[in-house]
Amino acid sequence: MTDDSYTNPPKTKTAIELWSLYSYNLHKATYHGLNNLKGRENKRNFIIGRGSQTGMHRYAGLWTGDNGSSWDFFRISVAQVLALGYSGLSIAGVDMGGFTADPANTLPNPRWCDPELLIRWYAGAFALPWYRNHYLQHPEASSGGCKAFQEPWAYGDILNNFPGPLPPDQAALYRSVVPVFLYDYMFANLINGLPVARAMLVTDPFDTSLFNSNQGFIDNQYLLGHNILVCPQVEEKARRRDVYLPNSDKWYPSNLRVNNQGFGPDPILKHAAVLQKPAPGGKIVDYDCHIPDAVADPEQVAYVTPVYIRGGAIIPQLEVRQYVKEGDLNPPTIHVYPGGKVTEPTSYSMYLDDGVSRDSAPIELPQHKYKDAATYTKAKGKYREVKITQENTKTNRKITIRHQWDGYDAKTTVGDTYNFAIWTVQATAPPESQISVDFEDESGMTVIDSGLTSTYIAGRGVLTVRVPVHLVPSLKTPQNYTQGSFADRYLAINVSGLP
């Protein structure tokens, strides 16, 4: 790292010049040490550090350090995570609610995070890669920046103005249904290097207003992947906020929910409301995001943080879980949205593997591709990439499914059926008599199977489709990927009459 040599005296370095290098080597040593620890053969590591330098992403994720329970810290937290993503560090986040008490708080002990701030933080950070409540606790909060508590459920014991389930509880539940989406973008990061939480400059670089008139939105809005726009309310006691919608597409108010509004028992639809009319891109929307009484006005809980979905998006959603391993068999619902450009089909890749072993690493990555497959153990390609595309016209939709890479049997996690919810705007949904559905392969031949079923619900503006996994063709596998080019093969869902 320096030009020191045996013939020249070593140069003196200040501590501040070496801190980042020391931290980098600490993470590197931890990573390699765990890799070679007996009993952890072929197991992935999950290491989180508090500081380092460029290149740390190879070994660990990062949280931004000991922040405080203040609106200023919340306000900069989104910008921090986005900036880390620019730097290649995709798994990053902050301590929600603040680690220490508000530095400017002079109130007597005991102290805790302002409940409004905690609600906003939970609800606004649900789509960031690193999501945790972490704080310095002391029963009397009498030491330095300590707080008496910070668990959302603890506030009900002391606050009478937030009766019933608090919005943080709902935000945490919402977080529990998007891990497959987060995981897909973390897996894709191995391949394309793009961050999980993305600034609008990454997703919509041709929107020139982001460089001038709308640059104020860059640091307080972010996208989960390419299609979910999240706009935290970062101002104290504010009931509304302006939301800027990038000009490349239409944007639908998110209809993804947790099952608290009587959507029914259908596992495909129980966590989704009807789809509302889209707003055009390139516009600023005045959004009502006030914090409600969660008992008297439960529907408003879903709007505490403005969330929009890009036209043409394809988004998988899981059943609610209280912890990651609760019910490993958790088939996702794949939501398919109208919109997008007629000339540019939209696509999405869902990555399925065992979630634990290192041999799911893609064989075709440059660092693995040229190794001897017979003896190389760091990448075996034991994963499945389910690639889904959608082509749109004004009244027809074509959704195609193929296993772009098939090195893993995902039956234990997703079952034997892919479930689709193909949406249209409920207010203008056509009657059932106008909808027709058929299935075909890449050559245009009709596919008939008793497991291929569809149901259109005009009152909700949604077509549900079930596709048996065994009907989806596989392209590349760990056994055949070296055989050259591959002709595209797929199963297509053709929908007529559904805008």
Side-chain angles (χ1 to χ4, degrees), residues 201-422:
L201 292 175
V202 174
T203 59
D204 296 87
F206 298 110
D207 187 341
T208 57
S209 74
L210 294 172
F211 296 92
N212 42 71
S213 60
N214 289 313
Q215 65 178 339
F217 293 96
I218 292 174
D219 289 341
N220 60 38
Q221 299 183 180
Y222 66 95
L223 287 100
L224 172 53
H226 188 72
N227 292 321
I228 299 181
L229 178 66
V230 183
C231 312
Q233 174 56 274
V234 295
E235 301 299 331
E236 185 177 8
K237 301 187 186 308
R239 295 175 60 86
R240 312 183 73 89
R241 71 153 285 172
D242 285 344
V243 171
Y244 176 68
L245 304 175
N247 68 10
S248 55
D249 293 282
K250 295 178 180 178
W251 295 87
Y252 293 88
S254 176
N255 67 328
L256 303 181
R257 302 284 190 275
V258 293
N259 186 31
N260 64 343
Q261 294 176 315
F263 296 141
D266 187 332
I268 298 181
L269 299 176
K270 66 185 293 186
H271 298 307
V274 299
L275 191 64
Q276 300 174 20
K277 292 180 179 179
K283 302 292 184 182
I284 295 175
V285 176
D286 175 32
Y287 196 103
D288 178 7
C289 55
H290 74 272
I291 299 173
D293 180 319
V295 172
D297 188 12
E299 291 190 6
Q300 176 61 23
V301 171
Y303 302 99
V304 167
T305 292
V307 180
Y308 282 84
I309 294 173
R310 192 187 297 268
I314 301 168
I315 298 175
Q317 180 190 30
L318 291 176
E319 173 66 271
V320 169
R321 293 185 291 185
Q322 298 299 326
Y323 56 93
V324 170
K325 296 293 288 183
E326 181 186 19
D328 283 344
L329 179 58
N330 194 340
T333 294
I334 302 167
H335 298 277
V336 183
Y337 291 88
K341 300 177 178 65
V342 174
T343 57
E344 298 178 18
T346 56
S347 66
Y348 183 84
S349 286
M350 183 168 63
Y351 295 93
L352 306 171
D353 61 17
D354 65 9
V356 176
S357 61
R358 282 184 277 159
D359 56 15
S360 64
I363 300 173
E364 294 189 296
L365 291 180
Q367 63 266 42
H368 305 309
K369 186 174 183 179
Y370 304 104
K371 305 292 185 178
D372 181 357
T375 60
Y376 190 61
T377 60
K378 291 186 178 180
K380 294 294 185 181
K382 293 184 178 181
Y383 71 95
R384 174 180 289 169
E385 178 188 355
V386 185
K387 186 173 182 180
I388 305 156
T389 65
Q390 177 183 210
E391 299 176 30
N392 264 313
T393 65
K394 288 185 177 180
T395 57
N396 297 316
R397 317 264 286 274
K398 180 179 180 179
I399 294 96
T400 62
I401 317 112
R402 78 272 286 153
H403 294 150
Q404 192 76 17
W405 180 276
D406 198 1
Y408 176 71
D409 182 356
K411 187 173 183 178
T412 58
T413 54
V414 301
D416 54 13
T417 304
Y418 294 133
N419 300 315
F420 289 82
I422 304 171

Side-chain angles (χ1 to χ4, degrees), residues 24-141:
Y24 175 86
N25 285 325
L26 178 64
H27 294 120
K28 182 178 180 180
T30 303
Y31 176 86
H32 287 298
L34 289 173
N35 280 355
N36 291 281
L37 188 65
K38 187 176 181 180
R40 296 198 77 257
E41 293 83 0
N42 197 32
K43 299 295 185 184
R44 299 180 200 175
N45 304 319
F46 187 73
I47 305 166
I48 292 292
R50 197 171 64 171
S52 192
Q53 64 182 21
T54 302
M56 174 190 176
H57 67 277
R58 299 183 183 93
Y59 311 113
L62 180 141
W63 96 96
T64 57
D66 295 345
N67 55 355
S69 294
S70 75
W71 288 90
D72 284 339
F73 272 112
F74 176 39
R75 201 172 290 114
I76 67 171
S77 65
V78 172
Q80 286 178 308
V81 175
L82 295 180
L84 289 166
Y86 287 140
S87 304
L89 198 59
S90 188
I91 299 178
V94 301
D95 291 341
M96 295 186 303
F99 181 70
T100 68
D102 182 355
N105 187 341
T106 59
L107 295 175
N109 295 323
R111 290 182 289 177
W112 49 79
C113 178
D114 172 17
E116 180 193 2
L117 174 60
L118 189 67
I119 289 170
R120 291 298 188 193
W121 216 318
Y122 261 77
F126 78 90
L128 294 178
W130 180 238
Y131 185 76
R132 71 167 179 177
N133 182 335
H134 180 221
Y135 70 102
L136 185 62
Q137 194 263 355
H138 189 280
E140 300 300 326

Side-chain angles (χ1 to χ4, degrees), residues 431-443:
E432 184 177 358
S433 59
Q434 294 185 18
I435 306 298
S436 65
V437 182
D438 63 72
F439 304 90
E440 65 180 23
D441 63 16
E442 69 283 350
S443 63

Side-chain angles (χ1 to χ4, degrees), residues 16-29:
I16 199 168
E17 292 179 281
L18 296 176
W19 282 342
S20 291
L21 178 60
Y22 174 84
S23 178
Y24 175 86
N25 285 325
L26 178 64
H27 294 120
K28 182 178 180 180

